[in-house]
Amino acid sequence: MNHKRLELAIEAAGLGGFEWDLARDVFVVSERMAAITGLTPGEMPADGGTALDRYVHPEDLPAYQARRERDLGAAGAYEAEFRQLRADDGRTIWVRVAGVVSRDGGGRATNVTGIVQDITERKVEEDHRQTLMAELDHRVKNVLATVQALAQQTAKRTTSLESFLSNFGGRLKAMGSANELLTAARWRGAAVDHLVAAELGAIVPGQTSWGGPELFLTPRAANALSLALHELATNAVKFGALSVESGHVDVRWTRTGDGGFELAWTESGGPRVMPPARQGFGSTLLEQVTGRELNGQTAVEYRPGGVYARLRAGAPAVAPRPETVPEAPTARAAETIVASSGPADLRGSRVLIVEDAVLLALELETSLSEAGAEVIGPAYELEEAMALLDRQIDAAVLDANLNGRSVTPVAEALARRQVPFVFATGYGEAGGAPGGFDAPVIRKPYDVTQVAAAVAELLRPS
């Protein structure tokens, strides 16, 4: 390949070339390198190879010089990445520089040939990725801390394990719904109507209504409102308007002049309301936690005709409309507030478990075994699950994703054999079951008794 073709190939790759003639102590800057760095193309004094060092960012210069001297002396080649100050306008860019030394017959260096590449875009993406990872780490730790606090506060105010599991599981589900909506909007905000729909959509169809302007909340405010709605809904189902067929719950929200919003929860048509004899964690959460998290205040009134709650939020709780707005969620409240008709009976049934989270798989195995099922598996990987399909199986519990791989091949094989299955998954697909299968879906986090009940329903004679 001749010199001209080499130059064309280098330019096509987005690289700029340079040469350092040691005998004449000059740098030769190519047109492409000049475009990248802001230098003037052509020859310039090399000053013993240090002429370009003044354009290296001061914080990166010592490391660059040390590496260049070490590599050129030992190996005759070097490569480095550093920030450079453009010679024409002073802008900071990231560059990658690589050079090789040519020597004469006596081993004396005569020429250094190198390339320069603008890697600013890549560096910006790396920085952005690191920022996102740090933010994810922060959010995960916040979620874990919140879950721990919920568990402790719930445990302090419950008198039985069954009550604790029901209350704690419902609160986790409410957090899960809010986080699912936030994830769909890339954590830029969750719509109030979506949060209300996720909690009230399927409790008792026809007995709930809601409405208000389009309004998006910050992640902190969204989680707070979701938990508050869950507590109010739970109380309404157990003791309030939604405990009878004639009752109704209406939720309305409006913007306030200070940039925040106000939400009113109104119950009517239910049994006569009396103030609670003692304050549980739900009341504490509503009256002491929700208001602070919303940068506002809350008030709950136990009116004889029905509970009335007013949640007022300040402007910091409101987020701009995100670029990505998810569709309104499908009804999921039935998963949040579970009215159990008693323990599931799975005696004589053979149930396959496919779940990559080992602790959760063990918990599922225990729950299904206690219900009388013979558990096949658990299978933690796709290959393990496929290998178990030659067994006699009456029903299956499938996680949608197994360590990054879809469970679809297992679901397809079961469907061909007409073996019913339920998805127990953390994937929030608004359109129904993963992969479009005609199968019930239980969203994580869930109470394992829900799964046993769902399997029992699958096996119920039609």
Side-chain angles (χ1 to χ4, degrees):
M1 180 180 290
N2 61 34
H3 185 70
K4 186 62 176 178
R5 284 186 172 180
L6 180 59
E7 285 185 351
L8 290 173
I10 290 175
E11 288 188 12
L15 306 176
F18 71 88
E19 290 187 28
W20 174 23
D21 186 332
L22 276 74
R24 295 191 299 134
D25 195 24
V26 295
F27 279 126
V28 181
V29 178
S30 71
E31 294 282 350
R32 179 59 185 164
M33 178 177 172
I36 293 172
T37 63
L39 293 165
T40 302
E43 291 190 356
M44 61 178 289
D47 296 336
T50 65
L52 300 181
D53 288 4
R54 61 177 171 270
Y55 301 113
V56 179
H57 194 286
E59 293 179 4
D60 298 346
L61 181 58
Y64 169 66
Q65 289 175 326
R67 177 161 187 169
R68 181 182 61 193
E69 182 177 352
R70 181 194 67 199
D71 290 351
L72 284 176
Y78 74 98
E79 181 177 342
E81 295 180 358
F82 54 86
R83 288 168 291 174
Q84 183 175 36
L85 308 177
R86 281 183 59 101
D88 52 357
D89 56 18
R91 287 189 298 112
T92 299
I93 62 172
W94 275 94
V95 296
R96 169 179 168 266
V97 175
V100 293
V101 180
S102 299
R103 304 182 185 276
D104 59 19
R108 184 176 60 184
T110 60
N111 185 274
V112 176
T113 304
I115 56 97
V116 175
Q117 180 183 15
D118 186 341
I119 59 170
T120 305
E121 184 176 347
R122 190 192 70 179
K123 284 293 186 178
V124 169
E125 290 178 355
E126 289 177 357
D127 289 344
H128 182 59
R129 187 160 48 248
Q130 290 176 356
T131 300
L132 288 177
M133 292 301 296
E135 178 65 18
L136 176 62
D137 179 66
H138 172 71
R139 287 175 180 166
V140 168
K141 288 176 180 176
N142 274 351
V143 169
L144 291 175
T146 301
V147 169
Q148 183 181 44
L150 277 177
Q152 292 173 340
Q153 293 296 323
T154 303
K156 288 177 181 178
R157 291 170 171 81
T158 51
T159 56
S160 69
L161 178 60
E162 182 179 359
S163 177
F164 167 79
L165 291 175
S166 176
N167 293 336
F168 181 57
R171 287 162 183 155
L172 276 186
K173 199 70 176 179
M175 286 183 61
S177 293
N179 279 268
E180 186 175 312
L181 291 170
L182 288 166
T183 299
R186 300 180 182 178
W187 277 77
R188 295 294 185 267
V192 173
D193 61 327
H194 291 181
L195 293 166
V196 177
E199 191 60 47
L200 297 184
I203 294 180
V204 272
Q207 290 185 241
T208 58
S209 58
W210 59 85
E214 184 180 65
L215 195 64
F216 295 87
L217 306 187
T218 64
R220 176 178 176 179
N223 274 298
L225 181 60
S226 185
L227 280 172
L229 292 170
H230 169 75
E231 298 303 328
L232 290 167
T234 300
N235 185 72
V237 168
K238 289 181 178 179
F239 314 110
L242 299 183
S243 65
V244 296
E245 292 184 2
S246 60
H248 188 84
V249 169
D250 183 69
V251 180
R252 299 288 153 179
W253 59 93
T254 58
R255 291 182 180 271
T256 55
D258 61 358
F261 72 94
E262 185 170 293
L263 180 144
W265 170 287
T266 306
E267 297 184 28
S268 60
R272 183 176 176 82
V273 173
M274 297 288 290
R278 70 180 187 88
Q279 187 178 55
F281 177 57
S283 298
T284 301
L285 189 149
L286 280 167
E287 296 174 8
Q288 297 183 25
V289 178
T290 304
R292 289 183 178 274
E293 292 291 276
L294 293 176
N295 297 99
Q297 57 186 1
T298 61
V300 181
E301 299 177 22
Y302 297 94
R303 300 173 178 176
V307 170
Y308 172 80
R310 180 176 57 81
L311 284 65
R312 187 177 181 90
V318 178
R321 191 180 198 278
E323 295 179 3
T324 302
V325 178
E327 296 180 3
T330 52
R332 295 175 193 147
E335 298 178 9
T336 305
I337 304 171
V338 180
S340 176
S341 59
D345 185 358
L346 297 175
R347 286 175 294 181
S349 61
R350 295 168 291 269
V351 181
L352 170 67
I353 296 176
V354 182
E355 168 62 61
D356 62 358
V358 178
L359 284 176
L360 185 52
L362 292 175
E363 190 177 4
L364 281 170
E365 182 178 14
T366 299
S367 176
L368 295 175
S369 296
E370 289 177 348
E374 175 189 339
V375 172
I376 299 173
Y380 305 106
E381 303 283 351
L382 181 62
E383 288 78 11
E384 288 181 86
M386 297 298 291
L388 292 173
L389 292 178
D390 59 350
R391 304 273 294 273
Q392 181 66 38
I393 300 171
D394 298 314
V397 179
L398 307 180
D399 186 7
N401 184 287
L402 301 173
N403 294 312
R405 303 175 67 185
S406 173
V407 79
T408 296
V410 179
E412 289 175 340
L414 292 171
R416 285 194 297 269
R417 291 172 50 181
Q418 298 185 324
V419 175
F421 52 86
V422 57
F423 284 105
T425 177
Y427 280 79
E429 297 190 24
F437 289 97
D438 182 16
V441 180
I442 298 177
R443 309 285 180 191
K444 295 178 180 176
Y446 53 70
D447 181 344
V448 290
T449 60
Q450 291 177 261
V451 180
V455 173
E457 187 64 28
L458 288 176
L459 298 174
R460 191 187 307 277
S462 56

